[in-house]
Amino acid sequence: MKEYNYTKVSKATEVLFKKMGCSSDDARNISEILLRADLRGIKTHGLVRLPEYYRLVRLGKIIPDASPEVVHSSPSTAVLDAGKGFGMVAGIKAMELAIEKAEVAGTGWVGVRNSNHFGIAGAYALMAAQKDMIGITMTNANPLVAPTFSRKPLLGTNPMAYAVPAGEYPPFLADFATAPVSRGKLDAWTLLGQLSPEGLLQDEQGQPTVEANTLTRKGSIRTLGGEVETGGHKGFCLSAVVDIFSAVLSGANFGPTVIPTLGYLAGDNQSDEDKGIGHFFGAMRVDAFQKKEAFLTQMDRWIEEFRKAAPVAGKERIVIPGDPERELEEKHLENNTIPLMGDVVEKVSETAQELGTDFLTD
Amino acid sequence: MKEYNYTKVSKATEVLFKKMGCSSDDARNISEILLRADLRGIKTHGLVRLPEYYRLVRLGKIIPDASPEVVHSSPSTAVLDAGKGFGMVAGIKAMELAIEKAEVAGTGWVGVRNSNHFGIAGAYALMAAQKDMIGITMTNANPLVAPTFSRKPLLGTNPMAYAVPAGEYPPFLADFATAPVSRGKLDAWTLLGQLSPEGLLQDEQGQPTVEANTLTRKGSIRTLGGEVETGGHKGFCLSAVVDIFSAVLSGANFGPTVIPTLGYLAGDNQSDEDKGIGHFFGAMRVDAFQKKEAFLTQMDRWIEEFRKAAPVAGKERIVIPGDPERELEEKHLENNTIPLMGDVVEKVSETAQELGTDFLTD
């Protein structure tokens, strides 16, 4: 891990998205959300993704100048067709629309279909929190997770994010995959030759395994909670709800019908029936439920009660969801730095070459 | 477990709620939701609760003739103050209001404060599904669950329910506590002298334990997912979101400020600041997102894809959330039977005596 100048990385990344065919505005927005993952220490969702994005652009799975369009609406809802564009472009437009609807109706709810990977879910939820609204984001994804009793993966790691504004404190932000472990973590364990903890994975037959590379051998991640006796069926419910809200409501590809990126890149699964992945965004004005000041004060109290509670031996305190990532982001923005792995810069530079330009060479 | 005549049990239960001071309508509604838990095999939330409800009525914590009132609203939202009434009375009114709002605004979202236990969350979510809406229910509850790194329980088992209408098939219904195990199951293990599976419980110091009676010795249930390495912090996020949506949005008692029923019954914790527990209800018209037929057909397809997927060895199929409970309920309604434990009938009969009447004696 090395620290780079954030302004330079940001400008250079924007250039690459423009070279791919994005408008200046879209290039800036995509770049900002992508790099925000690195600033917040969520490196699996950051710049490392850029080369894959470009391969999908070249295959026509991502259309860089697509413009999301509203295809259905009611006073508090809408559905956008992302036109196979970058997920970030649709994501920003969808959350802006949800916020706009909430201004009038109290809440706004926007589904997106025909979309692609949108980076970190929390970035959109936080847009609502900045307006004194609760922000909600969900998305479905490549099938990697086996429902309870299933031999095969049928669901994605299907993240959900909830941002809740507070008064004196920064927003609460719960941003989590509904699966217990990410592909990124499994890859890291595999590289280190490390086994996975018990209960997280299964092999091609659906039998428990601790082999961290099980996904490369047709295995699956299990649902949050693991076995039924430890609540794994609840994890299945949760992933299923994210899939239904993101994809069935909007008309995107759901569950096992999502076309896996890796398979697609390898030339498999180029189904005709590609409505992309789907997302779901919500914005709820807190003053649609209570006087704004009363809500914000009570949320401050919530944060204080959990922060001051007694921790177990060896831990300093209970972590308020979102605190560690925000603190990291603030530190980096103060120093105008961004942490990147050496091979990420190298691989993005190769993509830059393909695009007829350089990345961070001056 | 013995089967009783459902009509008789139902009428006799209604009488008891009327004797407690409920109106005829409320008595019928409370009784119906309470017994629906038994019909569906969720006996921890059924008639077994009645004697405790009555003790709370006698202590003034539940006011049987309270009438929930709208205290705040916007086109798609409202908050009800339940006036310390039965949770079922507020729950039904809140979901009816959410549905009414959704008819006009596309979605409806109603918070409830100053409430009490409302039975099974799924009953309210299903009200929306019957109207071709997605129904959502959440509630907070007595603190029994320790957040990640917390020594003490600060959150309830905080259930969430999502009902999704389908076309040819009955609704999908995910109705689950966000904690991995219920107090009812722990009590059952304790009775059988059985240990809990690893990873579910902690003792008074916050150290892991498999002693099923840990709650009676100041221990806690852990969050869904267990340790951080198996995703337990995601379970904390989930329980926290249910607490915030149910109680901070509505202005009820949240997290550790919820007054535990058992402590209350024992004369502890009779705090002045009692805004009861809180609930959160949502209704989303599916045709606010897509043409109704398109949605229902796609949801049928979702159910089929999961039902037909290959199961692991020893399992017949993947269980669609809600199927087993609905099948059980249908079977009982067909036979006009309800399954009840012997000691439940005995204990409810004792309560009936206190109320100056009988229970199932003819």
Side-chain angles (χ1 to χ4, degrees):
Chain A
M1 196 69 86
K2 203 179 132 187
E3 299 205 337
Y4 293 81
N5 178 292
Y6 175 56
T7 310
K8 276 192 189 166
V9 171
S10 178
K11 283 192 174 151
T13 305
E14 251 181 83
V15 167
L16 299 187
F17 283 108
K18 271 195 274 194
K19 288 271 179 192
M20 288 185 212
C22 297
S23 72
S24 299
D25 279 356
D26 287 350
R28 193 176 51 249
N29 287 333
I30 298 166
S31 167
E32 193 183 313
I33 289 185
L34 200 64
L35 298 178
R36 197 165 184 193
D38 291 306
L39 291 173
R40 294 173 76 86
I42 314 164
K43 54 183 192 286
T44 50
H45 286 58
L47 193 61
V48 66
R49 298 268 181 165
L50 190 142
E52 183 178 289
Y53 288 166
Y54 180 51
R55 284 190 287 159
L56 293 169
V57 166
R58 290 197 2 181
L59 287 167
K61 175 123 175 73
I62 297 180
I63 297 177
D65 60 351
S67 186
E69 278 179 32
V70 176
V71 291
H72 200 105
S73 74
S74 83
S76 70
T77 68
V79 168
L80 293 187
D81 189 309
K84 299 191 188 298
F86 278 103
M88 293 79 163
V89 175
I92 290 172
K93 182 161 176 182
M95 185 52 98
E96 282 172 351
L97 187 54
I99 289 170
E100 220 174 86
K101 299 252 174 200
E103 299 284 2
V104 180
T107 66
W109 307 88
V110 179
V112 176
R113 70 177 180 222
N114 220 356
S115 191
N116 285 292
H117 192 257
F118 70 9
I120 46 172
Y124 310 96
L126 284 172
M127 289 168 63
Q130 279 175 342
K131 307 263 183 184
D132 289 326
M133 299 183 186
I134 291 181
I136 300 164
T137 314
M138 301 183 190
T139 185
N140 72 346
N142 296 337
L144 297 176
V145 175
T148 309
F149 302 157
S150 172
R151 197 181 295 190
K152 305 284 175 203
L154 304 177
L155 290 163
T157 53
N158 293 5
M160 47 194 353
Y162 295 90
V164 183
E168 288 185 38
Y169 302 114
F172 165 105
L173 176 63
D175 179 359
F176 56 104
T178 52
V181 68
S182 65
R183 193 169 68 181
K185 199 173 273 182
L186 294 180
D187 290 346
W189 287 337
T190 302
L191 270 176
L192 295 168
Q194 211 174 300
L195 297 177
S196 143
E198 302 268 349
L200 300 183
L201 304 173
Q202 62 183 43
D203 65 18
E204 187 178 1
Q205 295 308 315
Q207 297 307 309
T209 181
V210 290
E211 299 291 340
N213 68 347
T214 190
L215 294 182
T216 64
R217 304 194 294 185
K218 301 190 179 172
S220 317
I221 301 173
R222 289 199 153 164
T223 53
L224 184 63
E227 302 286 338
V228 169
E229 67 172 4
T230 51
H233 53 301
K234 297 163 191 247
F236 168 36
C237 284
L238 202 62
S239 302
V241 166
V242 173
D243 189 48
I244 292 167
F245 276 40
S246 301
V248 182
L249 260 187
S250 68
N253 283 20
F254 64 75
T257 73
V258 169
I259 298 174
T261 312
L262 290 176
Y264 191 91
L265 288 172
D268 301 337
N269 290 312
Q270 307 218 11
S271 152
D272 286 341
E273 210 185 346
D274 184 8
K275 290 287 174 195
I277 58 167
H279 321 305
F280 181 77
F281 299 89
M284 303 198 284
R285 254 173 44 209
V286 300
D287 67 356
F289 291 89
Q290 272 199 66
K291 286 197 179 116
K292 189 176 92 179
E293 286 313 317
F295 178 90
L296 298 178
T297 304
Q298 197 69 346
M299 194 59 208
D300 279 346
R301 233 189 108 200
W302 193 99
I303 290 169
E304 282 163 7
E305 286 283 342
F306 282 77
R307 208 173 256 156
K308 80 179 188 202
V312 293
K315 297 293 173 186
E316 214 172 314
R317 71 173 67 84
I318 294 165
V319 179
I320 303 299
D323 273 3
E325 296 80 11
R326 191 194 57 255
E327 284 160 15
L328 202 57
E329 183 179 15
E330 283 168 356
K331 194 197 78 182
H332 284 302
L333 289 179
E334 230 165 73
N335 302 329
N336 198 31
T337 53
I338 185 166
L340 296 171
M341 306 281 283
D343 67 335
V344 168
V345 173
E346 195 180 307
K347 286 193 168 133
V348 172
S349 298
E350 286 168 23
T351 302
Q353 298 288 322
E354 292 176 54
L355 284 161
T357 183
D358 292 324
F359 184 73
L360 299 187
T361 46
D362 55 327
Chain B
M1 195 71 83
K2 204 179 132 187
E3 299 204 337
Y4 293 80
N5 178 291
Y6 176 56
T7 310
K8 275 191 189 164
V9 171
S10 179
K11 283 191 175 153
T13 305
E14 251 182 84
V15 167
L16 299 186
F17 283 108
K18 271 194 274 192
K19 288 272 179 189
M20 289 185 212
C22 297
S23 72
S24 300
D25 278 356
D26 287 350
R28 195 176 49 251
N29 287 332
I30 299 167
S31 167
E32 193 183 314
I33 290 186
L34 199 65
L35 297 178
R36 197 166 185 194
D38 292 306
L39 293 173
R40 294 172 76 86
I42 313 165
K43 55 182 192 284
T44 50
H45 287 57
L47 192 61
V48 67
R49 298 269 182 164
L50 191 142
E52 184 178 289
Y53 288 167
Y54 180 52
R55 284 189 287 160
L56 293 169
V57 167
R58 290 199 0 181
L59 287 167
K61 176 124 174 71
I62 297 180
I63 298 177
D65 60 351
S67 186
E69 277 179 31
V70 176
V71 291
H72 199 105
S73 74
S74 84
S76 70
T77 68
V79 167
L80 294 187
D81 189 308
K84 299 191 189 297
F86 278 102
M88 294 79 164
V89 175
I92 291 173
K93 182 161 176 182
M95 185 52 98
E96 281 172 351
L97 186 54
I99 289 170
E100 221 173 86
K101 299 251 173 201
E103 299 284 3
V104 180
T107 66
W109 307 88
V110 178
V112 176
R113 70 178 179 222
N114 219 356
S115 190
N116 286 291
H117 192 257
F118 70 8
I120 47 172
Y124 310 97
L126 284 172
M127 288 168 62
Q130 280 176 342
K131 307 263 184 185
D132 290 326
M133 300 183 186
I134 291 182
I136 300 164
T137 314
M138 301 183 190
T139 186
N140 73 345
N142 296 337
L144 297 176
V145 174
T148 309
F149 302 157
S150 172
R151 196 181 294 192
K152 305 283 175 202
L154 304 177
L155 290 163
T157 53
N158 293 5
M160 46 194 355
Y162 295 90
V164 183
E168 288 184 37
Y169 302 115
F172 165 105
L173 176 64
D175 180 359
F176 56 104
T178 53
V181 67
S182 65
R183 194 169 67 182
K185 199 173 271 180
L186 294 180
D187 290 345
W189 287 337
T190 302
L191 270 177
L192 295 167
Q194 211 173 299
L195 297 177
S196 143
E198 301 268 350
L200 300 185
L201 303 174
Q202 62 184 45
D203 64 17
E204 187 177 1
Q205 296 307 316
Q207 297 306 308
T209 181
V210 290
E211 298 291 341
N213 68 346
T214 191
L215 293 183
T216 64
R217 303 193 295 185
K218 301 191 178 171
S220 316
I221 301 173
R222 289 200 154 164
T223 53
L224 184 62
E227 302 286 338
V228 169
E229 67 171 5
T230 51
H233 53 301
K234 297 162 190 245
F236 167 36
C237 284
L238 201 62
S239 301
V241 166
V242 173
D243 190 48
I244 292 167
F245 277 40
S246 301
V248 183
L249 260 187
S250 68
N253 282 24
F254 64 76
T257 73
V258 169
I259 298 173
T261 312
L262 291 176
Y264 191 92
L265 288 171
D268 301 338
N269 291 312
Q270 307 217 13
S271 151
D272 286 340
E273 209 184 347
D274 185 8
K275 290 286 173 195
I277 58 167
H279 321 305
F280 181 77
F281 300 89
M284 303 197 285
R285 255 173 43 211
V286 301
D287 67 357
F289 292 88
Q290 272 199 68
K291 286 197 178 115
K292 188 176 93 178
E293 286 313 316
F295 177 90
L296 298 178
T297 303
Q298 197 68 346
M299 194 58 208
D300 279 347
R301 234 189 106 200
W302 193 98
I303 290 169
E304 282 163 6
E305 286 283 343
F306 282 77
R307 208 173 256 156
K308 80 179 189 202
V312 292
K315 298 292 173 187
E316 214 172 314
R317 70 173 67 85
I318 294 164
V319 179
I320 303 299
D323 273 3
E325 295 80 10
R326 190 194 58 255
E327 285 160 14
L328 203 57
E329 183 179 19
E330 283 168 356
K331 194 198 79 181
H332 284 302
L333 289 179
E334 229 165 73
N335 303 328
N336 197 32
T337 54
I338 185 165
L340 296 170
M341 307 282 282
D343 66 334
V344 168
V345 174
E346 196 181 307
K347 287 196 169 132
V348 172
S349 298
E350 287 168 22
T351 302
Q353 298 288 324
E354 294 176 53
L355 285 161
T357 184
D358 292 325
F359 184 73
L360 300 186
T361 47
D362 57 326

